[in-house]
Amino acid sequence: MKEVTIRYGLDSCGLSLYEGAEPASLNCAVDAFFNLGGVPFFLTLVGSPSVVPLSAALPPGVTLQLHLARPRGSTSPRLAQRAMSPAASSATPAAPVTLEMPMVGQAAGADATCPVSFEARSNFMAESMAKVAAATESIDRFSRLSTDMSNERTLLAWTRTGMAGLRTAFAYLAVVGTESSWEIPLGFARLAMISAVLVAVISGNMRYIAIKRLTFLPVPPQHFGRISMHWYETVLAMSLIAICCCMYANGVKKG
């Protein structure tokens, strides 16, 4: 951050120059501080007739003299002397104060300032905040829609898992024990596989309903309350362990 000093008559002010500050914003700040009422002005170095543009590229510690702009067709060297005289200030009522602010979306190189009242600036800020809120709501709506569609794809994956387990259970029916004693673990493996199919279908639907309910809440809770996958994994593991024991011991064969 840099700081320059601007003098106008007997008054002076320090102006902080931040990197990237727009010249129109700096001119607006100077206009408001000296209560110029939107009258055009220009700056020069103290003791020099050269005009200096007000921008963030100025070196720090520079002292500038403010002059009111000469009206078109006027032959007087400075309008500032007339404006600063007590007689002129007492004879002419003060004009309403307007600020100059950059035009939104204006092309570079064009006239970057226009007189805008405080009420117009407030309306502009209110409209901008309303547009930002509408954009945020739209993004949130599409995000919830994407979550809902992902939840549906997860439900279809659970359905495919249950159908795959059902095919495996039918494959178990084609296997018989080599001895009658192996029919007990084989029957347990079949029962556990059918149970895994039912648990997959029930778990998938319950998890889908829980996520569906929480997706469209204004503020989703920290814990979703989904049913755990441990039940499905436990029943499936029991079926696999039983059939593996039968196969390791060579106690089953195709019927």
Side-chain angles (χ1 to χ4, degrees), residues 39-180:
V39 177
F41 63 90
F42 61 94
L43 303 171
T44 63
L45 293 173
V46 177
S48 172
S50 301
V51 177
V52 179
L54 186 58
S55 68
L58 290 173
V62 175
T63 301
L64 304 175
Q65 183 69 39
L66 186 145
H67 308 275
L68 296 183
R70 189 184 313 168
R72 185 182 302 272
S74 174
T75 57
S76 60
R78 294 289 185 269
L79 180 62
Q81 297 178 358
R82 180 173 62 84
M84 290 168 54
S85 62
S89 60
S90 60
T92 305
V97 177
T98 59
L99 301 180
E100 294 184 355
M101 65 180 296
M103 293 287 290
V104 178
Q106 190 166 8
D111 186 8
T113 61
C114 67
V116 179
S117 63
F118 179 77
E119 182 179 0
R121 185 173 61 178
S122 300
N123 293 337
F124 172 78
M125 294 298 296
E127 292 177 0
S128 300
M129 294 302 295
K131 292 180 180 179
V132 171
T136 303
E137 183 179 357
S138 178
I139 293 174
D140 179 69
R141 189 180 298 112
F142 277 103
S143 176
R144 292 173 186 269
L145 177 60
S146 177
T147 302
D148 190 32
M149 296 177 67
S150 300
N151 190 30
E152 292 177 352
R153 290 193 295 269
T154 304
L155 175 61
L156 295 177
W158 277 102
T159 304
R160 290 193 298 269
T161 301
M163 295 177 66
L166 186 60
R167 289 195 299 269
T168 304
F170 277 113
Y172 282 0
L173 294 177
V175 178
V176 295
T178 56
E179 297 180 3
S180 58

Side-chain angles (χ1 to χ4, degrees), residues 3-15 30 33-34 46 62-66:
E3 185 170 343
V4 298
T5 302
I6 299 178
R7 294 179 181 177
Y8 176 54
L10 300 179
D11 296 334
S12 64
C13 73
L15 183 63
V30 174
F33 183 86
F34 291 113
V46 177
V62 175
T63 301
L64 304 175
Q65 183 69 39
L66 186 145

Side-chain angles (χ1 to χ4, degrees), residues 172 175 182 186 240-253:
Y172 282 0
V175 178
W182 287 107
L186 183 58
L240 295 179
I241 291 174
I243 195 65
C244 287
C245 290
C246 294
M247 296 179 68
Y248 284 147
N250 201 19
V252 295
K253 64 179 181 178

